[in-house]
Amino acid sequence: MTFQKASRFFNTIRYLTLRQVVFRFYYRFARVRQREYDDVRSRTWSSGWSAPRWSELSTEDGIAFTFLGVEGDVRDPADWQAGQHSKLWLYNLHYLDDLNAKDIDTTPALAETLIRNWTQANPPISGDGWEPYPLSLRVVNLVKWFARNESLAGSRLESLATQADALSQQLEYHILGNHLFANGKALVFVGAYLSGAKADEWLAKGLQILDEEVAEQFLQDGGHFELSPMYHATLLWDMCDLVNLAQCSGLPELNQRLPRWQAVISRGLAWLRSLLHPDGKIGFFNDAAFGVAPDFMHIEEYAARLGISIAPDAPDPVAFLNSATGYAVVRPKTGVKALLDLAQVGPDYQPGHAHADTLSFELSVFGQRLVVNSGTSQYGEGAERQRQRSTGAHSTVEVAGQDSSEVWAGFRVARRARPTIERFDLQDGVSYIQASHNGYRRLSSSLIHRRTWTFSEDRLEMIDQITSDQFVAVARLYIHPDVSLSQGASRFVADMGTGKKVVIELAGADQVRVVASTWHPGFGCSIANQCIEATFSGRPLTTHIHWS
């Protein structure tokens, strides 16, 4: 191992908790024991399960599936573990999300086919489907489906119990974060649905996990601590599921937690709303894409059905900081909204969904996205995944061709940028925001990137400074695919459609050019767009964006 690789490895593992280290060693040698269950019965709930649906069916026949924009056939038992598909594609196959997708109740034969095919092709306890994360999501999907179709559950409850038992033996303490949350949620669901001493154990263990993880993972401003709007939306839906479960089951252990869970959802909705563009969809910070998690309107509808609401959105233009998560929101005018990433990389011990996007921003004008980050179209450890996590794929500044945080291996981060908010003022309708980060200190101990945004009603002035003239920096503005650019020297005109235009001017650059790039609004999705690149060194770069 080279010194560089050794350093990167050390600066990755040094943030792990003792619990993660212990369980990584434990699971390397531990083996899951198969236990079979007979005469498994369900509890009697106070009301039946009912919840809104947001996802589309991935299959019409239980053979041809589409996940992450990729099609594949599953005809034989071996296809459930097929090497021609990515690990994430196979995980999606094993989730059985279709059991609770839109229109599934109009095709009950499809649901039964999915359950039967999975059970026959995946005997206990080996294969991708018996790993803890797909187990967690599938257990919840099965409980929801059985709770709606009690007459069809029958002996399938014995398989459900076996799956819950396998999950309980491999809880993801070595990963923590949203994975452990999903484990806890699954144990609560299956423990609340099945009856008996073992179900009581699963329920108690799941609640113990959730009590710890909800308190840690949802921060004071309402945001989820992994700092991905997409994962925040996923876990907010999970929280709604838990409230729904408490109301349907009537179990006192769940009902006593209702006030706490409801407050988390209310704050979480407010946070998520702040990270939406005028088009009603999330900004792309860290791992984020459309279609993976429910949209805000879906979660808001679910919460409303549960009796949970949030305060109306503020009607006046404002600038505010989600102080616990570090995302700033500026709305200088109706139809104009900027989202600024002043956030840390994420929880030190679990930055797996982080990008090197510190001090990046996104901007919508006239209700249309203009400046964007590049999004996320794939996981894994390939070159494209690495590029999408890099600083160069975001609307921020790259120095000497390096990333602000050392992202690597798909879900790893070594040395991390630490941002500092230096100014956050709103005076006479003008917003002044200044922040810096030290992510490039490995190049020079005094090297800092400082970015200053000044918003008024009709324009943005942004100043980028690098505290050294020894390095060449590149500032990038990724432009939404629906916006066309025309160029003249260091001045660009962005055609927003319907006759509306935005002028972008840069001063202080050594070179300015437009390059072809791609935007990734969904997994498996790549759309051509343009990127303005400005190279500068030794003096500030000033970017003016005028929308009046």
Side-chain angles (χ1 to χ4, degrees):
M1 182 182 292
T2 66
F3 174 79
Q4 182 179 11
K5 289 183 178 179
S7 173
R8 187 178 63 183
F9 183 72
F10 170 75
N11 282 294
T12 300
I13 65 171
R14 71 188 183 95
Y15 293 101
L16 296 178
T17 66
L18 178 61
R19 174 188 274 187
Q20 286 175 296
V21 174
V22 168
F23 274 91
R24 282 177 186 273
F25 278 106
Y26 172 73
Y27 285 137
R28 178 164 293 189
F29 303 104
R31 294 293 178 266
V32 178
R33 291 182 294 168
Q34 179 183 346
R35 301 187 182 100
E36 295 183 358
Y37 290 83
D38 298 318
D39 194 28
V40 179
R41 300 179 184 275
S42 61
R43 299 180 194 257
T44 299
W45 285 1
S46 56
S47 63
W49 178 266
S50 176
R53 323 276 177 81
W54 68 271
S55 60
E56 303 290 341
L57 286 169
S58 66
T59 182
E60 295 180 353
D61 56 8
I63 297 175
F65 291 84
T66 300
F67 299 116
L68 313 174
V70 177
E71 298 179 359
D73 285 353
V74 181
R75 298 180 181 276
D76 302 313
D79 293 335
W80 290 83
Q81 322 294 334
Q84 69 263 33
H85 295 299
S86 70
K87 186 81 165 180
L88 185 60
W89 196 96
L90 291 172
Y91 266 23
N92 276 268
L93 178 65
H94 286 280
Y95 296 159
L96 299 188
D97 282 339
D98 282 353
L99 295 180
N100 295 286
K102 293 188 292 186
D103 301 324
I104 187 63
D105 288 341
T106 64
T107 56
L110 175 60
E112 293 204 56
T113 296
L114 291 170
I115 297 172
R116 181 182 64 251
N117 288 354
W118 185 89
T119 304
Q120 292 176 351
N122 295 275
I125 48 179
S126 63
D128 294 317
W130 291 91
E131 293 180 18
Y133 192 71
L135 263 174
S136 296
L137 272 62
R138 185 176 60 256
V139 161
V140 172
N141 281 322
L142 286 168
V143 169
K144 291 178 181 178
W145 191 82
F146 290 149
R148 299 197 317 272
N149 300 273
E150 289 282 356
S151 62
L152 301 177
S155 61
R156 291 168 174 166
L157 296 185
E158 296 166 3
S159 171
L160 176 64
T162 299
Q163 294 175 59
D165 187 78
L167 171 61
S168 70
Q169 297 179 57
Q170 46 182 334
L171 300 172
E172 294 176 277
Y173 290 115
H174 60 306
I175 296 178
L176 301 178
N178 72 83
H179 278 242
L180 184 59
F181 181 98
N183 302 160
K185 176 190 175 184
L187 290 180
V188 168
F189 258 75
V190 72
Y193 179 66
L194 299 181
S195 63
K198 200 64 181 179
D200 290 341
E201 288 181 22
W202 295 329
L203 177 61
K205 184 60 177 179
L207 287 173
Q208 176 194 344
I209 292 172
L210 290 180
D211 286 344
E212 296 173 359
E213 297 306 312
V214 169
E216 180 170 5
Q217 294 192 31
F218 285 93
L219 304 180
Q220 193 59 42
D221 62 12
H224 184 255
F225 77 158
E226 291 189 46
L227 305 180
S228 157
M230 180 180 78
Y231 277 93
H232 174 90
T234 296
L235 270 80
L236 209 53
W237 189 271
D238 289 338
M239 293 301 303
C240 288
D241 273 348
L242 290 167
V243 169
N244 196 358
L245 179 66
Q247 295 178 352
C248 291
S249 68
L251 292 176
E253 302 97 315
L254 302 184
N255 284 326
Q256 70 184 37
R257 291 168 169 83
L258 271 178
R260 190 185 323 154
W261 290 350
Q262 290 166 335
V264 167
I265 294 170
S266 183
R267 289 196 303 270
L269 279 168
W271 186 91
L272 183 59
R273 182 180 59 192
S274 75
L275 267 289
L276 302 179
H277 281 275
D279 61 15
K281 293 183 177 293
I282 58 172
F284 288 168
F285 299 99
N286 296 316
D287 277 341
F290 302 148
V292 177
D295 288 338
F296 173 81
M297 65 177 184
H298 297 127
I299 307 172
E300 186 179 38
E301 175 197 352
Y302 195 0
R305 288 178 55 167
L306 301 171
I308 304 168
S309 61
I310 55 175
D313 205 359
D316 299 322
V318 292
F320 65 91
L321 175 68
N322 289 304
S323 57
T325 50
Y327 288 110
V329 180
V330 185
R331 295 177 294 185
K333 184 179 181 179
T334 301
V336 178
K337 186 172 184 179
L339 306 175
L340 282 53
D341 183 357
L342 316 179
Q344 304 293 335
V345 165
D348 277 341
Y349 62 80
Q350 183 46 275
H353 294 293
H355 288 200
D357 57 0
T358 305
L359 302 192
S360 67
F361 79 110
E362 296 195 331
L363 174 66
S364 284
V365 180
F366 305 126
Q368 158 72 45
R369 296 186 191 222
L370 172 60
V371 179
V372 297
N373 286 321
S374 293
T376 305
S377 69
Q378 57 182 256
Y379 281 169
E381 297 189 10
E384 179 59 14
R385 165 68 172 165
Q386 181 67 22
R387 187 195 70 80
Q388 290 177 16
R389 295 182 76 202
S390 72
T391 300
H394 299 83
S395 291
T396 186
V397 172
E398 175 191 73
V399 177
Q402 300 294 307
D403 291 328
S404 56
S405 294
E406 287 184 297
V407 293
W408 65 285
F411 299 94
R412 301 285 185 263
V413 186
R415 288 172 288 190
R416 296 102 191 261
R418 300 292 184 184
T420 300
I421 300 172
E422 301 173 344
R423 183 182 183 188
F424 203 105
D425 295 329
L426 179 61
Q427 300 176 5
D428 299 324
V430 178
S431 304
Y432 303 91
I433 302 169
Q434 181 173 289
S436 62
H437 76 81
N438 63 356
Y440 297 114
R441 66 190 182 280
R442 61 186 180 275
L443 302 175
S444 173
S445 59
S446 61
L447 182 56
I448 289 175
H449 169 217
R450 176 173 288 108
R451 173 166 273 186
T452 305
W453 294 268
T454 303
F455 290 91
S456 57
E457 188 176 77
D458 62 352
R459 68 188 62 204
L460 161 64
E461 178 188 81
M462 182 173 67
I463 301 175
D464 286 300
Q465 297 172 284
I466 302 298
T467 58
S468 173
D469 57 5
Q470 301 178 32
F471 303 97
V472 175
V474 180
R476 292 180 174 87
L477 294 176
Y478 282 90
I479 306 301
H480 190 274
D482 291 343
V483 177
S484 60
L485 285 178
S486 57
Q487 180 180 3
S490 295
R491 182 178 187 272
F492 303 85
V493 177
D495 188 343
M496 307 293 289
T498 64
K500 297 177 180 177
K501 300 183 185 300
V502 175
V503 177
I504 303 173
E505 298 178 288
L506 298 98
D510 300 320
Q511 180 185 21
V512 179
R513 62 175 186 161
V514 175
V515 298
S517 186
T518 47
W519 186 57
H520 308 280
F523 277 85
C525 182
S526 180
I527 302 174
N529 71 334
Q530 294 177 294
C531 176
I532 299 173
E533 289 188 348
T535 303
F536 66 105
S537 179
R539 57 177 176 169
L541 172 70
T542 302
T543 303
H544 293 276
I545 303 179
H546 311 257
W547 50 80
S548 177

